[in-house]
Amino acid sequence: MMAGTLAQILAFSLSTCLIVQGMSIAGQGQRCICGERKATRFPAGRFVKLEIYPTSHRCAQKEVVITLKNGTRVCLNYYSKAIRSAIDGILRRRLLRNH
């Protein structure tokens, strides 16, 4: 009787571990910084910080986050043509300023 109970507890523990491991793999997209809502317009001159996060094992998409002067963080749609051209311009100016 004791061996049967121990086997059930062991089987339950093992299945719980497998379910939890499977959840972390299946929920990879949920670990992104930005959710589904992303701005498609770039508020030029109103931000103090630009952060670009590459794809990773935690998030399958590139993410762009800006911090506005009032401290609000806004996610931008990296795949928007307007956003990408604005970011390219900022990076180009920064590169020229540093050289």
Side-chain angles (χ1 to χ4, degrees):
M1 178 109 172
M2 181 90 157
T5 304
L6 184 60
Q8 288 177 342
I9 292 172
L10 185 60
F12 175 76
S13 298
L14 182 59
S15 65
T16 303
C17 290
L18 291 174
I19 290 170
V20 170
Q21 181 65 27
M23 286 172 60
S24 67
I25 293 170
Q28 284 179 349
Q30 296 175 354
R31 294 198 178 133
C32 297
I33 295 167
C34 300
E36 291 298 315
R37 294 183 57 192
K38 297 180 184 105
T40 56
R41 303 182 105 202
F42 195 88
R46 292 184 27 213
F47 72 97
V48 293
K49 187 176 185 181
L50 170 69
E51 300 168 278
I52 301 173
Y53 297 95
T55 58
S56 68
H57 66 282
R58 292 183 178 221
C59 183
Q61 59 189 356
K62 279 189 178 180
E63 296 185 295
V64 178
V65 180
I66 58 170
T67 304
L68 301 177
K69 288 181 179 179
N70 66 5
T72 304
R73 293 182 76 195
V74 178
C75 290
L76 302 176
N77 182 356
Y78 178 78
Y79 301 100
S80 164
K81 195 173 188 177
I83 298 294
R84 287 185 69 170
S85 65
I87 291 170
D88 288 344
I90 290 168
L91 295 176
R92 201 174 304 117
R93 283 192 300 274
R94 187 172 223 187
L95 182 65
L96 291 174
R97 194 178 333 150
N98 290 337
H99 280 44

